Every structure is written in structure tokens, then in C-alpha cells.
Amino acid sequence: AQSVTQPDARVTVSEGASLQLRCKYSYSGTPYLFWYVQYPRQGLQLLLKYYSGDPVVQGVNGFEAEFSKSNSSFHLRKASVHWSDSAVYFCVSSNTNKVVFGTGTRLQVLP
Amino acid sequence: EAAVTQSPRNKVAVTGGKVTLSCNQTNNHNNMYWYRQDTGHGLRLIHYSYGAGSTEKGDIPDGYKASRPSQENFSLILELATPSQTSVYFCASGSGRGTGQLYFGEGSKLTVL
């Protein structure tokens, strides 16, 4: 069965520090992979997506993610976080039949 | 710009009452989805639709019905609301069957007393 695991429910970093949010997926093939962000009292917005090709994909606001087939991972990274990056981040996997969400990682950026 | 609008944004209902959550999209997407979001569960799929007149059960359909009268509109119906259905509900639209980006509304917070 297809699944997505975000092992860290909460991550706290200081402003200006680098960030990595972890995501592991389980799927027999290569799914389409997404990272969404949810700011307080808002819906989810797309940060970036991976369909195929270059395993490092760039997104909005300086975010990037790296796909690893061997590790079944799609980790999200940012070189230097800002306080406005505080939000909940969801890793999402999809194929032709189903969209599966991870449980989310709440990021708190300390000033 | 892609737009998904939900109404109402906040709703307080009584146990046993009927609740209808509405969703309108101007993206001309074939696919629409209803999710609920609860702490520790992420987003869980309730119902979805691949086009006007069609609805499909998602992962947690019990206690919910859905209606897709047109390309633009997709409703979630709770015939007999229960406190366990207190949650935040999100509507989304998308163009591909699970392969494309989803566009989300801003959510409807439902409290069942």
C-alpha cells in the first residue's frame, strides 16, 4: 500500500539556520511527490513537486527537495529559514489512483 | 489564478442536525476532493469526484455524503452530525487523477455540540 511518513511532528530552528524536513514514501514504483505548506488558518499551498528527471527540485521561497529512489525519500531543505517560514509542512505522494498525505511537520522558527 | 472557495468558513451545529459544506472552484478542474484535518492524522480523504454527477468514497466516508451537481460545485453533507465530526474540512480541486497538483480552499471549521 502507498504511504508517506514524516517522522518529525515538530521541528524548531533558529532564524537563519538551515532546515531539513524528512519524508519517506512507500510505493512500488516512482510516485509523483509534492511538498505543501499550510500557514495558520489557511489551506495548503504547493511548495514544489517532483515528477521525474533531476532529483533536486526547486520551489518557492528558497525551498528545494531531493528525491532519492534508493532511500525512498523526498526531503525538504532550505539554506536559511525566516520567521515567516513557521507553518505546517506536508509531504504528499500520488499516483494515478490515489493521493496520500503525510501527517505533517510543524516548523517553528525562533527569532 | 486557481481559486477554490468554501462556505461556510465556520459552522456550529448540534448533534443530530444536518450540515452542508459547499465548495466552488473556478479552475475548470474535473476532480474535486473533500478532506478532513485532525491533529495527528494529517488530511484524510472523505469523498471525491471525477466530474459532474459522479461521487466516489474516499478512505473515511462513513457519516458523510457528497454531491457534485456541476463542474464547479461539490458539497459535503452530514445528515446526522455527531461530535466526532468536529474538524476542519478542506475542499480541493485538481486536473489529473492523482497525478497533478491540488488546489485547496481555506477550510471550513465545523464544531458539533
Side-chain angles (χ1 to χ4, degrees), chain B residues 54-91:
Chain B
S54 88
T55 60
E56 307 286 342
K57 293 181 179 180
D59 299 321
I60 53 164
D62 292 346
Y64 302 93
K65 292 171 58 178
S67 173
R68 181 86 182 271
S70 64
Q71 177 84 340
E72 297 79 20
N73 296 295
F74 189 39
S75 297
L76 185 68
I77 305 154
L78 291 67
E79 295 278 6
L80 295 169
T82 68
S84 65
Q85 294 175 311
T86 293
S87 187
V88 180
Y89 292 84
F90 287 95
C91 177

PDB file of all heavy atoms in Angstrom, chain B residues 54-91:
ATOM      1  N   SER B  54     -20.826  12.613 -10.597  1.00  0.00           N
ATOM      2  CA  SER B  54     -20.149  11.452 -10.026  1.00  0.00           C
ATOM      3  C   SER B  54     -19.590  11.760  -8.653  1.00  0.00           C
ATOM      4  O   SER B  54     -19.144  12.883  -8.398  1.00  0.00           O
ATOM      5  CB  SER B  54     -19.004  10.996 -10.933  1.00  0.00           C
ATOM      6  OG  SER B  54     -17.799  11.679 -10.620  1.00  0.00           O
ATOM      7  N   THR B  55     -19.679  10.793  -7.756  1.00  0.00           N
ATOM      8  CA  THR B  55     -19.014  10.893  -6.465  1.00  0.00           C
ATOM      9  C   THR B  55     -18.449   9.513  -6.118  1.00  0.00           C
ATOM     10  O   THR B  55     -19.021   8.484  -6.518  1.00  0.00           O
ATOM     11  CB  THR B  55     -19.961  11.344  -5.334  1.00  0.00           C
ATOM     12  OG1 THR B  55     -21.023  10.395  -5.198  1.00  0.00           O
ATOM     13  CG2 THR B  55     -20.535  12.725  -5.615  1.00  0.00           C
ATOM     14  N   GLU B  56     -17.353   9.522  -5.414  1.00  0.00           N
ATOM     15  CA  GLU B  56     -16.697   8.276  -5.018  1.00  0.00           C
ATOM     16  C   GLU B  56     -16.367   8.348  -3.535  1.00  0.00           C
ATOM     17  O   GLU B  56     -16.105   9.426  -3.001  1.00  0.00           O
ATOM     18  CB  GLU B  56     -15.395   8.076  -5.801  1.00  0.00           C
ATOM     19  CG  GLU B  56     -15.534   8.168  -7.304  1.00  0.00           C
ATOM     20  CD  GLU B  56     -16.198   6.961  -7.912  1.00  0.00           C
ATOM     21  OE1 GLU B  56     -16.240   5.903  -7.232  1.00  0.00           O
ATOM     22  OE2 GLU B  56     -16.688   7.058  -9.057  1.00  0.00           O
ATOM     23  N   LYS B  57     -16.350   7.199  -2.887  1.00  0.00           N
ATOM     24  CA  LYS B  57     -15.979   7.154  -1.478  1.00  0.00           C
ATOM     25  C   LYS B  57     -14.465   7.192  -1.330  1.00  0.00           C
ATOM     26  O   LYS B  57     -13.741   6.509  -2.061  1.00  0.00           O
ATOM     27  CB  LYS B  57     -16.534   5.886  -0.832  1.00  0.00           C
ATOM     28  CG  LYS B  57     -18.046   5.860  -0.739  1.00  0.00           C
ATOM     29  CD  LYS B  57     -18.533   4.582  -0.068  1.00  0.00           C
ATOM     30  CE  LYS B  57     -20.055   4.584   0.033  1.00  0.00           C
ATOM     31  NZ  LYS B  57     -20.564   3.351   0.680  1.00  0.00           N
ATOM     32  N   GLY B  58     -14.031   7.973  -0.350  1.00  0.00           N
ATOM     33  CA  GLY B  58     -12.620   8.018  -0.031  1.00  0.00           C
ATOM     34  C   GLY B  58     -12.286   7.034   1.069  1.00  0.00           C
ATOM     35  O   GLY B  58     -12.878   5.964   1.178  1.00  0.00           O
ATOM     36  N   ASP B  59     -11.357   7.407   1.902  1.00  0.00           N
ATOM     37  CA  ASP B  59     -10.887   6.499   2.946  1.00  0.00           C
ATOM     38  C   ASP B  59     -11.777   6.475   4.183  1.00  0.00           C
ATOM     39  O   ASP B  59     -11.837   5.477   4.894  1.00  0.00           O
ATOM     40  CB  ASP B  59      -9.461   6.889   3.356  1.00  0.00           C
ATOM     41  CG  ASP B  59      -8.496   6.785   2.199  1.00  0.00           C
ATOM     42  OD1 ASP B  59      -8.632   5.826   1.403  1.00  0.00           O
ATOM     43  OD2 ASP B  59      -7.600   7.640   2.079  1.00  0.00           O
ATOM     44  N   ILE B  60     -12.472   7.579   4.465  1.00  0.00           N
ATOM     45  CA  ILE B  60     -13.316   7.654   5.663  1.00  0.00           C
ATOM     46  C   ILE B  60     -14.688   8.218   5.311  1.00  0.00           C
ATOM     47  O   ILE B  60     -15.097   9.261   5.800  1.00  0.00           O
ATOM     48  CB  ILE B  60     -12.647   8.488   6.780  1.00  0.00           C
ATOM     49  CG1 ILE B  60     -12.219   9.859   6.261  1.00  0.00           C
ATOM     50  CG2 ILE B  60     -11.428   7.760   7.342  1.00  0.00           C
ATOM     51  CD1 ILE B  60     -11.927  10.846   7.367  1.00  0.00           C
ATOM     52  N   PRO B  61     -15.493   7.530   4.511  1.00  0.00           N
ATOM     53  CA  PRO B  61     -16.758   8.091   4.045  1.00  0.00           C
ATOM     54  C   PRO B  61     -17.938   7.965   5.010  1.00  0.00           C
ATOM     55  O   PRO B  61     -18.967   8.622   4.816  1.00  0.00           O
ATOM     56  CB  PRO B  61     -17.039   7.274   2.786  1.00  0.00           C
ATOM     57  CG  PRO B  61     -16.440   5.925   3.110  1.00  0.00           C
ATOM     58  CD  PRO B  61     -15.204   6.226   3.939  1.00  0.00           C
ATOM     59  N   ASP B  62     -17.796   7.128   6.043  1.00  0.00           N
ATOM     60  CA  ASP B  62     -18.951   6.853   6.903  1.00  0.00           C
ATOM     61  C   ASP B  62     -19.447   8.112   7.591  1.00  0.00           C
ATOM     62  O   ASP B  62     -18.686   8.836   8.205  1.00  0.00           O
ATOM     63  CB  ASP B  62     -18.580   5.788   7.945  1.00  0.00           C
ATOM     64  CG  ASP B  62     -18.332   4.434   7.314  1.00  0.00           C
ATOM     65  OD1 ASP B  62     -18.706   4.254   6.129  1.00  0.00           O
ATOM     66  OD2 ASP B  62     -17.763   3.563   7.988  1.00  0.00           O
ATOM     67  N   GLY B  63     -20.764   8.342   7.483  1.00  0.00           N
ATOM     68  CA  GLY B  63     -21.374   9.509   8.106  1.00  0.00           C
ATOM     69  C   GLY B  63     -21.407  10.727   7.204  1.00  0.00           C
ATOM     70  O   GLY B  63     -21.899  11.780   7.603  1.00  0.00           O
ATOM     71  N   TYR B  64     -20.892  10.584   5.986  1.00  0.00           N
ATOM     72  CA  TYR B  64     -20.838  11.698   5.036  1.00  0.00           C
ATOM     73  C   TYR B  64     -21.427  11.284   3.690  1.00  0.00           C
ATOM     74  O   TYR B  64     -21.305  10.151   3.266  1.00  0.00           O
ATOM     75  CB  TYR B  64     -19.394  12.140   4.783  1.00  0.00           C
ATOM     76  CG  TYR B  64     -18.614  12.560   6.000  1.00  0.00           C
ATOM     77  CD1 TYR B  64     -17.816  11.639   6.685  1.00  0.00           C
ATOM     78  CD2 TYR B  64     -18.639  13.873   6.446  1.00  0.00           C
ATOM     79  CE1 TYR B  64     -17.079  12.021   7.790  1.00  0.00           C
ATOM     80  CE2 TYR B  64     -17.898  14.268   7.547  1.00  0.00           C
ATOM     81  CZ  TYR B  64     -17.128  13.339   8.215  1.00  0.00           C
ATOM     82  OH  TYR B  64     -16.384  13.724   9.307  1.00  0.00           O
ATOM     83  N   LYS B  65     -22.062  12.249   3.057  1.00  0.00           N
ATOM     84  CA  LYS B  65     -22.479  12.098   1.667  1.00  0.00           C
ATOM     85  C   LYS B  65     -21.886  13.242   0.867  1.00  0.00           C
ATOM     86  O   LYS B  65     -21.505  14.281   1.425  1.00  0.00           O
ATOM     87  CB  LYS B  65     -24.011  12.129   1.552  1.00  0.00           C
ATOM     88  CG  LYS B  65     -24.710  10.928   2.157  1.00  0.00           C
ATOM     89  CD  LYS B  65     -26.229  11.135   2.209  1.00  0.00           C
ATOM     90  CE  LYS B  65     -26.843  11.401   0.875  1.00  0.00           C
ATOM     91  NZ  LYS B  65     -28.315  11.556   0.941  1.00  0.00           N
ATOM     92  N   ALA B  66     -21.819  13.057  -0.435  1.00  0.00           N
ATOM     93  CA  ALA B  66     -21.287  14.108  -1.288  1.00  0.00           C
ATOM     94  C   ALA B  66     -22.199  14.297  -2.483  1.00  0.00           C
ATOM     95  O   ALA B  66     -22.927  13.391  -2.886  1.00  0.00           O
ATOM     96  CB  ALA B  66     -19.874  13.770  -1.753  1.00  0.00           C
ATOM     97  N   SER B  67     -22.117  15.495  -3.044  1.00  0.00           N
ATOM     98  CA  SER B  67     -22.935  15.799  -4.219  1.00  0.00           C
ATOM     99  C   SER B  67     -22.132  16.692  -5.148  1.00  0.00           C
ATOM    100  O   SER B  67     -21.533  17.674  -4.720  1.00  0.00           O
ATOM    101  CB  SER B  67     -24.220  16.517  -3.788  1.00  0.00           C
ATOM    102  OG  SER B  67     -24.962  16.969  -4.917  1.00  0.00           O
ATOM    103  N   ARG B  68     -22.132  16.322  -6.445  1.00  0.00           N
ATOM    104  CA  ARG B  68     -21.406  17.122  -7.447  1.00  0.00           C
ATOM    105  C   ARG B  68     -22.400  17.470  -8.563  1.00  0.00           C
ATOM    106  O   ARG B  68     -22.484  16.821  -9.590  1.00  0.00           O
ATOM    107  CB  ARG B  68     -20.248  16.306  -8.019  1.00  0.00           C
ATOM    108  CG  ARG B  68     -19.406  17.052  -9.046  1.00  0.00           C
ATOM    109  CD  ARG B  68     -18.333  17.860  -8.420  1.00  0.00           C
ATOM    110  NE  ARG B  68     -17.555  18.604  -9.392  1.00  0.00           N
ATOM    111  CZ  ARG B  68     -16.458  18.139 -10.003  1.00  0.00           C
ATOM    112  NH1 ARG B  68     -16.031  16.905  -9.750  1.00  0.00           N
ATOM    113  NH2 ARG B  68     -15.806  18.904 -10.857  1.00  0.00           N
ATOM    114  N   PRO B  69     -23.177  18.519  -8.362  1.00  0.00           N
ATOM    115  CA  PRO B  69     -24.216  18.878  -9.337  1.00  0.00           C
ATOM    116  C   PRO B  69     -23.677  19.534 -10.604  1.00  0.00           C
ATOM    117  O   PRO B  69     -24.371  19.572 -11.624  1.00  0.00           O
ATOM    118  CB  PRO B  69     -25.103  19.850  -8.555  1.00  0.00           C
ATOM    119  CG  PRO B  69     -24.179  20.463  -7.551  1.00  0.00           C
ATOM    120  CD  PRO B  69     -23.212  19.384  -7.172  1.00  0.00           C
ATOM    121  N   SER B  70     -22.472  20.056 -10.538  1.00  0.00           N
ATOM    122  CA  SER B  70     -21.903  20.745 -11.699  1.00  0.00           C
ATOM    123  C   SER B  70     -20.388  20.649 -11.633  1.00  0.00           C
ATOM    124  O   SER B  70     -19.817  20.215 -10.620  1.00  0.00           O
ATOM    125  CB  SER B  70     -22.328  22.212 -11.716  1.00  0.00           C
ATOM    126  OG  SER B  70     -21.802  22.900 -10.595  1.00  0.00           O
ATOM    127  N   GLN B  71     -19.725  21.054 -12.694  1.00  0.00           N
ATOM    128  CA  GLN B  71     -18.261  21.048 -12.719  1.00  0.00           C
ATOM    129  C   GLN B  71     -17.689  21.895 -11.591  1.00  0.00           C
ATOM    130  O   GLN B  71     -16.666  21.571 -11.010  1.00  0.00           O
ATOM    131  CB  GLN B  71     -17.786  21.593 -14.076  1.00  0.00           C
ATOM    132  CG  GLN B  71     -16.283  21.719 -14.235  1.00  0.00           C
ATOM    133  CD  GLN B  71     -15.624  20.421 -14.666  1.00  0.00           C
ATOM    134  OE1 GLN B  71     -16.192  19.330 -14.497  1.00  0.00           O
ATOM    135  NE2 GLN B  71     -14.450  20.525 -15.255  1.00  0.00           N
ATOM    136  N   GLU B  72     -18.370  22.989 -11.274  1.00  0.00           N
ATOM    137  CA  GLU B  72     -17.824  23.972 -10.339  1.00  0.00           C
ATOM    138  C   GLU B  72     -18.101  23.658  -8.869  1.00  0.00           C
ATOM    139  O   GLU B  72     -17.393  24.136  -7.997  1.00  0.00           O
ATOM    140  CB  GLU B  72     -18.401  25.360 -10.646  1.00  0.00           C
ATOM    141  CG  GLU B  72     -18.047  25.924 -12.017  1.00  0.00           C
ATOM    142  CD  GLU B  72     -18.895  25.326 -13.119  1.00  0.00           C
ATOM    143  OE1 GLU B  72     -19.988  24.774 -12.829  1.00  0.00           O
ATOM    144  OE2 GLU B  72     -18.477  25.395 -14.293  1.00  0.00           O
ATOM    145  N   ASN B  73     -19.150  22.920  -8.583  1.00  0.00           N
ATOM    146  CA  ASN B  73     -19.622  22.792  -7.205  1.00  0.00           C
ATOM    147  C   ASN B  73     -19.567  21.362  -6.676  1.00  0.00           C
ATOM    148  O   ASN B  73     -19.927  20.401  -7.372  1.00  0.00           O
ATOM    149  CB  ASN B  73     -21.047  23.333  -7.098  1.00  0.00           C
ATOM    150  CG  ASN B  73     -21.112  24.812  -7.395  1.00  0.00           C
ATOM    151  OD1 ASN B  73     -20.549  25.624  -6.663  1.00  0.00           O
ATOM    152  ND2 ASN B  73     -21.774  25.180  -8.489  1.00  0.00           N
ATOM    153  N   PHE B  74     -19.143  21.261  -5.437  1.00  0.00           N
ATOM    154  CA  PHE B  74     -19.014  19.958  -4.780  1.00  0.00           C
ATOM    155  C   PHE B  74     -19.366  20.156  -3.314  1.00  0.00           C
ATOM    156  O   PHE B  74     -18.709  20.938  -2.625  1.00  0.00           O
ATOM    157  CB  PHE B  74     -17.578  19.445  -4.940  1.00  0.00           C
ATOM    158  CG  PHE B  74     -17.346  18.029  -4.511  1.00  0.00           C
ATOM    159  CD1 PHE B  74     -18.271  17.029  -4.761  1.00  0.00           C
ATOM    160  CD2 PHE B  74     -16.149  17.666  -3.895  1.00  0.00           C
ATOM    161  CE1 PHE B  74     -18.037  15.710  -4.392  1.00  0.00           C
ATOM    162  CE2 PHE B  74     -15.901  16.349  -3.524  1.00  0.00           C
ATOM    163  CZ  PHE B  74     -16.846  15.381  -3.771  1.00  0.00           C
ATOM    164  N   SER B  75     -20.391  19.464  -2.842  1.00  0.00           N
ATOM    165  CA  SER B  75     -20.864  19.647  -1.475  1.00  0.00           C
ATOM    166  C   SER B  75     -20.600  18.411  -0.634  1.00  0.00           C
ATOM    167  O   SER B  75     -20.621  17.286  -1.134  1.00  0.00           O
ATOM    168  CB  SER B  75     -22.365  19.941  -1.466  1.00  0.00           C
ATOM    169  OG  SER B  75     -22.646  21.148  -2.132  1.00  0.00           O
ATOM    170  N   LEU B  76     -20.378  18.645   0.635  1.00  0.00           N
ATOM    171  CA  LEU B  76     -20.244  17.567   1.615  1.00  0.00           C
ATOM    172  C   LEU B  76     -21.412  17.690   2.581  1.00  0.00           C
ATOM    173  O   LEU B  76     -21.656  18.773   3.114  1.00  0.00           O
ATOM    174  CB  LEU B  76     -18.917  17.683   2.359  1.00  0.00           C
ATOM    175  CG  LEU B  76     -18.600  16.549   3.330  1.00  0.00           C
ATOM    176  CD1 LEU B  76     -18.336  15.252   2.565  1.00  0.00           C
ATOM    177  CD2 LEU B  76     -17.389  16.900   4.195  1.00  0.00           C
ATOM    178  N   ILE B  77     -22.114  16.581   2.773  1.00  0.00           N
ATOM    179  CA  ILE B  77     -23.347  16.603   3.555  1.00  0.00           C
ATOM    180  C   ILE B  77     -23.233  15.670   4.742  1.00  0.00           C
ATOM    181  O   ILE B  77     -22.892  14.491   4.586  1.00  0.00           O
ATOM    182  CB  ILE B  77     -24.546  16.191   2.677  1.00  0.00           C
ATOM    183  CG1 ILE B  77     -24.609  17.096   1.447  1.00  0.00           C
ATOM    184  CG2 ILE B  77     -25.849  16.238   3.468  1.00  0.00           C
ATOM    185  CD1 ILE B  77     -25.274  16.471   0.255  1.00  0.00           C
ATOM    186  N   LEU B  78     -23.518  16.221   5.916  1.00  0.00           N
ATOM    187  CA  LEU B  78     -23.597  15.422   7.137  1.00  0.00           C
ATOM    188  C   LEU B  78     -25.067  15.375   7.521  1.00  0.00           C
ATOM    189  O   LEU B  78     -25.627  16.372   7.972  1.00  0.00           O
ATOM    190  CB  LEU B  78     -22.781  16.049   8.253  1.00  0.00           C
ATOM    191  CG  LEU B  78     -21.252  16.053   8.135  1.00  0.00           C
ATOM    192  CD1 LEU B  78     -20.761  16.942   7.011  1.00  0.00           C
ATOM    193  CD2 LEU B  78     -20.627  16.496   9.451  1.00  0.00           C
ATOM    194  N   GLU B  79     -25.723  14.254   7.278  1.00  0.00           N
ATOM    195  CA  GLU B  79     -27.173  14.161   7.513  1.00  0.00           C
ATOM    196  C   GLU B  79     -27.483  14.214   8.999  1.00  0.00           C
ATOM    197  O   GLU B  79     -28.442  14.859   9.422  1.00  0.00           O
ATOM    198  CB  GLU B  79     -27.709  12.865   6.910  1.00  0.00           C
ATOM    199  CG  GLU B  79     -27.615  12.784   5.397  1.00  0.00           C
ATOM    200  CD  GLU B  79     -28.757  13.507   4.684  1.00  0.00           C
ATOM    201  OE1 GLU B  79     -29.568  14.174   5.368  1.00  0.00           O
ATOM    202  OE2 GLU B  79     -28.846  13.404   3.442  1.00  0.00           O
ATOM    203  N   LEU B  80     -26.685  13.514   9.795  1.00  0.00           N
ATOM    204  CA  LEU B  80     -26.890  13.477  11.246  1.00  0.00           C
ATOM    205  C   LEU B  80     -25.531  13.739  11.899  1.00  0.00           C
ATOM    206  O   LEU B  80     -24.761  12.821  12.157  1.00  0.00           O
ATOM    207  CB  LEU B  80     -27.443  12.113  11.669  1.00  0.00           C
ATOM    208  CG  LEU B  80     -28.835  11.753  11.162  1.00  0.00           C
ATOM    209  CD1 LEU B  80     -29.123  10.277  11.442  1.00  0.00           C
ATOM    210  CD2 LEU B  80     -29.888  12.630  11.839  1.00  0.00           C
ATOM    211  N   ALA B  81     -25.249  15.002  12.142  1.00  0.00           N
ATOM    212  CA  ALA B  81     -23.925  15.366  12.639  1.00  0.00           C
ATOM    213  C   ALA B  81     -23.674  14.812  14.044  1.00  0.00           C
ATOM    214  O   ALA B  81     -24.587  14.754  14.885  1.00  0.00           O
ATOM    215  CB  ALA B  81     -23.774  16.879  12.650  1.00  0.00           C
ATOM    216  N   THR B  82     -22.445  14.398  14.277  1.00  0.00           N
ATOM    217  CA  THR B  82     -22.031  13.888  15.585  1.00  0.00           C
ATOM    218  C   THR B  82     -20.798  14.661  16.056  1.00  0.00           C
ATOM    219  O   THR B  82     -20.047  15.213  15.240  1.00  0.00           O
ATOM    220  CB  THR B  82     -21.669  12.400  15.519  1.00  0.00           C
ATOM    221  OG1 THR B  82     -20.483  12.243  14.749  1.00  0.00           O
ATOM    222  CG2 THR B  82     -22.794  11.578  14.899  1.00  0.00           C
ATOM    223  N   PRO B  83     -20.556  14.699  17.372  1.00  0.00           N
ATOM    224  CA  PRO B  83     -19.378  15.424  17.877  1.00  0.00           C
ATOM    225  C   PRO B  83     -18.060  14.931  17.281  1.00  0.00           C
ATOM    226  O   PRO B  83     -17.113  15.712  17.150  1.00  0.00           O
ATOM    227  CB  PRO B  83     -19.444  15.184  19.389  1.00  0.00           C
ATOM    228  CG  PRO B  83     -20.906  15.012  19.662  1.00  0.00           C
ATOM    229  CD  PRO B  83     -21.441  14.267  18.476  1.00  0.00           C
ATOM    230  N   SER B  84     -17.990  13.654  16.897  1.00  0.00           N
ATOM    231  CA  SER B  84     -16.756  13.122  16.306  1.00  0.00           C
ATOM    232  C   SER B  84     -16.467  13.727  14.932  1.00  0.00           C
ATOM    233  O   SER B  84     -15.359  13.561  14.398  1.00  0.00           O
ATOM    234  CB  SER B  84     -16.839  11.595  16.180  1.00  0.00           C
ATOM    235  OG  SER B  84     -17.853  11.228  15.278  1.00  0.00           O
ATOM    236  N   GLN B  85     -17.443  14.400  14.368  1.00  0.00           N
ATOM    237  CA  GLN B  85     -17.239  15.051  13.080  1.00  0.00           C
ATOM    238  C   GLN B  85     -16.764  16.499  13.228  1.00  0.00           C
ATOM    239  O   GLN B  85     -16.601  17.215  12.231  1.00  0.00           O
ATOM    240  CB  GLN B  85     -18.516  14.987  12.242  1.00  0.00           C
ATOM    241  CG  GLN B  85     -18.869  13.548  11.860  1.00  0.00           C
ATOM    242  CD  GLN B  85     -20.182  13.426  11.126  1.00  0.00           C
ATOM    243  OE1 GLN B  85     -21.202  13.985  11.567  1.00  0.00           O
ATOM    244  NE2 GLN B  85     -20.193  12.692  10.036  1.00  0.00           N
ATOM    245  N   THR B  86     -16.540  16.909  14.460  1.00  0.00           N
ATOM    246  CA  THR B  86     -15.906  18.197  14.696  1.00  0.00           C
ATOM    247  C   THR B  86     -14.496  18.158  14.116  1.00  0.00           C
ATOM    248  O   THR B  86     -13.689  17.289  14.471  1.00  0.00           O
ATOM    249  CB  THR B  86     -15.847  18.502  16.199  1.00  0.00           C
ATOM    250  OG1 THR B  86     -17.168  18.687  16.688  1.00  0.00           O
ATOM    251  CG2 THR B  86     -15.011  19.746  16.468  1.00  0.00           C
ATOM    252  N   SER B  87     -14.213  19.078  13.204  1.00  0.00           N
ATOM    253  CA  SER B  87     -12.949  19.028  12.482  1.00  0.00           C
ATOM    254  C   SER B  87     -12.838  20.258  11.587  1.00  0.00           C
ATOM    255  O   SER B  87     -13.735  21.090  11.534  1.00  0.00           O
ATOM    256  CB  SER B  87     -12.884  17.750  11.634  1.00  0.00           C
ATOM    257  OG  SER B  87     -11.606  17.594  11.044  1.00  0.00           O
ATOM    258  N   VAL B  88     -11.734  20.330  10.882  1.00  0.00           N
ATOM    259  CA  VAL B  88     -11.579  21.313   9.817  1.00  0.00           C
ATOM    260  C   VAL B  88     -11.634  20.568   8.494  1.00  0.00           C
ATOM    261  O   VAL B  88     -10.911  19.583   8.304  1.00  0.00           O
ATOM    262  CB  VAL B  88     -10.257  22.090   9.939  1.00  0.00           C
ATOM    263  CG1 VAL B  88     -10.140  23.104   8.797  1.00  0.00           C
ATOM    264  CG2 VAL B  88     -10.187  22.805  11.288  1.00  0.00           C
ATOM    265  N   TYR B  89     -12.495  21.039   7.611  1.00  0.00           N
ATOM    266  CA  TYR B  89     -12.715  20.363   6.340  1.00  0.00           C
ATOM    267  C   TYR B  89     -12.141  21.206   5.202  1.00  0.00           C
ATOM    268  O   TYR B  89     -12.345  22.416   5.139  1.00  0.00           O
ATOM    269  CB  TYR B  89     -14.214  20.138   6.121  1.00  0.00           C
ATOM    270  CG  TYR B  89     -14.797  19.147   7.097  1.00  0.00           C
ATOM    271  CD1 TYR B  89     -15.215  19.547   8.371  1.00  0.00           C
ATOM    272  CD2 TYR B  89     -14.908  17.803   6.762  1.00  0.00           C
ATOM    273  CE1 TYR B  89     -15.725  18.641   9.275  1.00  0.00           C
ATOM    274  CE2 TYR B  89     -15.427  16.880   7.661  1.00  0.00           C
ATOM    275  CZ  TYR B  89     -15.831  17.302   8.911  1.00  0.00           C
ATOM    276  OH  TYR B  89     -16.326  16.395   9.812  1.00  0.00           O
ATOM    277  N   PHE B  90     -11.437  20.517   4.327  1.00  0.00           N
ATOM    278  CA  PHE B  90     -10.838  21.178   3.174  1.00  0.00           C
ATOM    279  C   PHE B  90     -11.365  20.583   1.890  1.00  0.00           C
ATOM    280  O   PHE B  90     -11.448  19.364   1.737  1.00  0.00           O
ATOM    281  CB  PHE B  90      -9.312  21.043   3.189  1.00  0.00           C
ATOM    282  CG  PHE B  90      -8.647  21.891   4.224  1.00  0.00           C
ATOM    283  CD1 PHE B  90      -8.316  21.371   5.461  1.00  0.00           C
ATOM    284  CD2 PHE B  90      -8.354  23.222   3.954  1.00  0.00           C
ATOM    285  CE1 PHE B  90      -7.708  22.154   6.422  1.00  0.00           C
ATOM    286  CE2 PHE B  90      -7.746  24.018   4.910  1.00  0.00           C
ATOM    287  CZ  PHE B  90      -7.426  23.481   6.144  1.00  0.00           C
ATOM    288  N   CYS B  91     -11.690  21.470   0.979  1.00  0.00           N
ATOM    289  CA  CYS B  91     -12.030  21.091  -0.382  1.00  0.00           C
ATOM    290  C   CYS B  91     -10.825  21.370  -1.266  1.00  0.00           C
ATOM    291  O   CYS B  91     -10.066  22.329  -1.026  1.00  0.00           O
ATOM    292  CB  CYS B  91     -13.231  21.913  -0.848  1.00  0.00           C
ATOM    293  SG  CYS B  91     -13.747  21.623  -2.548  1.00  0.00           S
TER     294      CYS B  91
END
